[in-house]
Amino acid sequence: MSIPQLHDVFPDVATATAPIKTTLGTTRSGTTPPRARPAHQPFETVSLPAQAAHQLLDLLGHLDPHPIGAALADEQEWVLIVPPGSGERLHWPWPTLHRNRGVLWVPPLSAGPDRGSHWIRRGNGEGRAFTAPFPVHAVLSLIQSLEPLSAAELERTPVRN
């Protein structure tokens, strides 16, 4: 079994000229919901403030391979791509937000920071698309307080149900 890379999860991202509406997760039957274009490989997301993402990169920087895979970003937030099931039996600490369903607008690889959401990481050193959820969860639990998200914070994420 090969390590999923960005083109395995988002097969059209390299040739896209505009953001692609992509469905997160799978239904109970294991098929992707028909609301949007399915990813080639199912995925979930963890959204977090950019400052927390930079702390994660610093605190996990000694690990090889690096546990942070592909990530989308804008000025205020990062969206980490995590494998299906990453939210099962985990309480992601505030202010992170885990989503296992909904829609994510995936920018083309050519999108730069001047165009809003863009790819800030295209994978880790091995090219792995998925972020390893357990080390990330452990570090986030250490650096974040467990306060509930406000309604305004819930609306900040680009992932919608």
Side-chain angles (χ1 to χ4, degrees), residues 15-16 23 26 36 58 68 78 82 90 97 123 127 141-143 156 159:
T15 57
T23 304
T26 58
D58 289 344
I68 306 294
W78 282 37
V82 295
L90 288 178
L97 185 59
S141 295
L142 293 173
I143 63 175
R156 73 172 160 73
V159 180

Side-chain angles (χ1 to χ4, degrees), residues 119-133:
W119 291 100
I120 197 155
R121 291 180 60 90
R122 296 181 182 187
N124 71 352
E126 294 180 327
R128 184 183 71 231
F130 291 137
T131 290

Side-chain angles (χ1 to χ4, degrees), residues 3 5 24 32 37-38 41 57 62 64 71 73 83 89-90 93 105 113 119 127 138 140 150:
I3 296 171
Q5 297 188 352
L24 276 71
T32 308
R37 178 171 177 70
Q41 175 143 355
L57 287 175
H62 67 285
D64 186 28
R89 296 184 285 281
L90 288 178
W105 285 92
W119 291 100
L140 284 171
S150 69

